[in-house]
Amino acid sequence: MIDLIHQDWFVTAEGQCQPRPIARPWELLQDHYYLHQFLSDIVQLLSNAATETDQWDYLPQIRQRVRQLMLNSYWLTTQRAEPDPKTGAAVLTLYDEIGYPLTVQTVTTNPGVTTPIHNHGTWGVVALLEGQERHTLWRQQANPDRLERVGHHTLRSGEIISFCPEAIHQVETIGPTPALTFQLYGDTQPQARYQFEPDPFLAKPF
Ligand SMILES: [Fe+2]
């Protein structure tokens, strides 16, 4: 874990990627941190939120739990699916059951794979376990609807990026090796999740 970059980021609705303070890594080390403990901790944290839209107030604490998992779970890095030869990507769901409100997964992507421009319709925390990816950040402006490219952020192994529900990004896997990410999302509202075309502006369900 020594060569990992320990830095957290937060992407605003305006497409600004802001650094966020983190605990010192050695303060987060423990004997083990099982996935079931992590999931219970997240559910416990979110139970403090009065409404679903208040959940992302807890992003600092959620990011810290994700970093704890990253630092203390070797198992996590073994949870990867082989990328599909056609799409160059693979998603492995780590936990799900009927009614469970969170998305918990690892995603493996080959170099060169680029996602559509999209939002998630909920908060999200993504930890880069291996490789590198470039997040291009956009913001949506109304009347008339248009999409403006704000900038980009290159995420390196060990970094965590988090998103408010309105954040819009496009992710490209860069560098010579595949990227492996751990991804956690809140309760996705299907009517709030879109992929976008910037010119001419188009938003369609994602
Ligand atoms: Fe995304």
Side-chain angles (χ1 to χ4, degrees):
M1 291 285 170
I2 287 165
D3 53 348
L4 295 182
I5 310 284
H6 298 283
Q7 181 62 58
D8 283 7
W9 301 92
F10 173 66
V11 179
T12 68
E14 296 295 302
Q16 301 296 329
C17 188
Q18 303 172 339
R20 285 290 187 261
I22 63 165
R24 287 172 289 200
W26 55 91
E27 290 172 352
L28 301 177
L29 291 174
Q30 56 194 83
D31 273 354
H32 42 66
Y33 192 34
Y34 294 120
L35 182 69
H36 79 88
Q37 294 174 303
F38 167 81
L39 295 174
S40 298
D41 286 349
I42 299 296
V43 168
Q44 178 67 41
L45 271 175
L46 294 180
S47 69
N48 297 315
T51 67
E52 222 154 71
T53 46
D54 291 336
Q55 285 188 355
W56 67 279
D57 290 344
Y58 292 86
L59 271 179
Q61 293 95 319
I62 296 170
R63 281 195 303 264
Q64 178 158 324
R65 296 301 189 285
V66 170
R67 187 161 291 286
Q68 267 174 276
L69 188 67
M70 199 183 206
L71 286 169
N72 297 294
S73 174
Y74 169 75
W75 172 84
L76 189 65
T77 61
T78 68
Q79 299 305 297
R80 66 179 80 202
E82 270 308 302
D84 179 285
K86 279 201 192 113
T87 64
V91 176
L92 181 65
T93 297
L94 298 182
Y95 184 77
D96 195 19
E97 65 180 76
I98 291 172
Y100 188 69
L102 304 177
T103 300
V104 189
Q105 61 193 21
T106 60
V107 179
T108 319
T109 47
N110 285 335
V113 168
T114 305
T115 69
I117 302 170
H118 64 279
N119 68 4
H120 286 270
T122 182
W123 58 266
V125 177
V126 172
L128 191 64
L129 305 177
E130 292 174 15
Q132 273 189 73
E133 53 182 38
R134 181 188 293 122
H135 290 247
T136 303
L137 305 169
W138 303 74
R139 80 172 150 209
Q140 186 177 357
Q141 295 189 324
N143 299 322
D145 276 328
R146 64 189 186 91
L147 214 56
E148 186 185 344
R149 188 179 179 281
V150 179
H152 62 83
H153 179 81
T154 298
L155 202 66
R156 297 159 297 170
S157 297
E159 289 186 291
I160 291 175
I161 193 166
S162 57
F163 305 95
C164 77
E166 295 79 21
I168 298 173
H169 70 162
Q170 179 176 36
V171 187
E172 179 186 3
T173 305
I174 58 174
T177 57
L180 174 65
T181 50
F182 170 76
Q183 306 190 354
L184 178 70
Y185 298 103
D187 199 2
T188 302
Q189 305 299 317
Q191 69 280 14
R193 192 172 184 208
Y194 293 101
Q195 80 177 58
F196 301 92
E197 299 282 348
D199 194 19
F201 178 87
L202 180 70
K204 57 181 178 182
F206 182 48

